């Protein structure tokens, strides 16, 4: 392990390629209430750290709609990892303590991580990604925040990292929930277009943090 550093990853759209499965489950909810399906663009623009925001925005009963969503999600096809993600993360896990921080239900992220063959890291599900975020605070307690890197595919991830003065890397690739424009509006310290760029950037950032 290197210099007291830690990596924090989002799950959906960063490691797990589940956008299409989530998209399908969301529209099943809309259809169950007699509503017209929404578009991928709608989801991208309305994605929020609040799991119930989308339902409230469209006037649906949020608790009931979210229960349906989780049921449809469970009934859907199993997602696959983003190409190359597991190999890249597993290599980084050998060097740095690594945490997966996700709004995804705990039992689902545990099941998916096991099926993907993800190496030993801390899995924290059912997280509300708003400040204050107790789940994140527990993971960074007592750490030099210049050595904590948060990697995510949404502006929600970047805003959360910034609120705790963590180093942020926005992943602007075709599997993500937010496009590059939305991500850069959140002002990440770094933006990459592929996970393949991540290991080199992580070492560069942490090398600079140690030097300073």
């Amino acid at each position: 392990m290197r210099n007291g550093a830690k990596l924090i990853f989002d799950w959906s759209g960063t490691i797990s390629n589940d956008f299409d499965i989530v998209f399908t489950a969301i529209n099943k909810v809309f259809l169950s209430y007699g509503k017209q399906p929404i578009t991928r663009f709608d989801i991208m623009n309305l994605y929020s750290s609040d799991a119930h925001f989308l339902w409230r925005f469209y006037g649906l009963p949020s608790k009931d709609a979210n229960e349906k969503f989780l049921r449809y999600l469970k009934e859907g096809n199993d997602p696959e990892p983003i190409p190359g993600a597991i190999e890249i993360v597993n290599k980084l896990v050998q060097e740095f303590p690594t945490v997966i921080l996700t709004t995804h239900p705990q039992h689902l992220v545990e099941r998916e991580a096991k099926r993907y063959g993800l190496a030993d890291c801390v899995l924290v599900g059912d997280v509300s990604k708003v400040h204050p975020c107790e789940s994140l605070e527990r993971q960074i307690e007592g750490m030099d925040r210049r050595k904590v890197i948060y990697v995510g595919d949404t502006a929600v991830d970047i805003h959360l990292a910034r609120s705790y003065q963590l180093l942020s890397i926005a992943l602007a690739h075709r599997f993500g929930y937010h496009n590059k424009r939305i991500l850069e509006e959140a002002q990440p310290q770094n933006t990459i277009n592929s996970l393949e760029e991540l290991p080199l950037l992580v070492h560069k950032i942490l090398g600079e943090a140690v030097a300073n």
Side-chain angles (χ1 to χ4, degrees):
M1 304 301 178
R2 292 197 178 190
N3 303 314
K6 179 174 279 191
L7 304 181
I8 298 173
F9 284 89
D10 171 56
W11 183 249
S12 295
T14 299
I15 296 172
S16 184
N17 184 16
D18 60 7
F19 186 96
D20 287 341
I21 295 166
V22 169
F23 179 60
T24 298
I26 286 172
N27 274 324
K28 282 186 176 180
V29 174
F30 277 83
L31 291 171
S32 75
Y33 290 104
K35 299 275 191 179
Q36 289 294 316
I38 61 175
T39 68
R40 298 171 71 92
F41 184 77
D42 293 328
I43 293 175
M44 184 177 292
N45 280 281
L46 293 170
Y47 182 84
S48 168
S49 58
D50 180 354
H52 293 234
F53 174 78
L54 183 68
W55 317 127
R56 291 197 302 269
F57 184 86
Y58 284 99
L60 301 180
S62 62
K63 183 179 179 181
D64 183 62
N66 207 58
E67 287 174 355
K68 286 186 176 184
F69 167 69
L70 293 175
R71 185 169 71 250
Y72 294 143
L73 198 61
K74 188 176 181 180
E75 293 170 356
N77 296 328
D78 287 331
E80 295 296 329
I82 288 166
I86 299 304
E87 293 81 1
I88 290 167
V89 175
N90 281 349
K91 286 181 180 179
L92 289 168
V93 167
Q94 295 175 24
E95 297 185 71
F96 308 103
T98 301
V99 178
I100 307 296
L101 196 72
T102 176
T103 58
H104 219 45
Q106 182 74 30
H107 70 282
L108 286 182
V109 72
E110 288 177 354
R111 186 182 73 185
E112 290 170 13
K114 182 177 181 180
R115 187 167 58 83
Y116 292 175
L118 188 67
D120 187 25
C121 59
V122 177
L123 302 173
V124 185
D126 297 300
V127 174
S128 176
K129 290 186 176 180
V130 293
H131 189 281
C133 177
E134 292 183 3
S135 299
L136 178 56
E137 288 173 0
R138 285 194 293 271
Q139 297 301 324
I140 62 175
E141 184 177 3
M143 295 196 68
D144 180 348
R145 297 185 184 187
R146 298 174 303 163
K147 299 179 183 179
V148 181
I149 298 177
Y150 193 130
V151 184
D153 67 299
T154 72
V156 170
D157 298 309
I158 305 308
H159 287 308
L160 185 59
R162 285 171 59 84
S163 70
Y164 282 98
Q165 296 84 50
L166 307 180
L167 298 164
S168 59
I169 299 177
L171 180 57
H173 61 175
R174 63 188 178 89
F175 306 100
Y177 281 67
H178 278 163
N179 60 29
K180 192 169 187 176
R181 176 186 61 79
I182 294 173
L183 284 168
E184 292 190 337
E185 286 176 355
Q187 299 182 323
Q189 277 120 334
N190 300 274
T191 301
I192 56 177
N193 299 311
S194 167
L195 279 169
E196 293 176 355
E197 301 172 48
L198 184 61
L200 185 62
L201 180 58
V202 164
H203 288 96
K204 179 177 182 291
I205 290 171
L206 293 176
E208 290 174 353
V210 171
N212 294 329

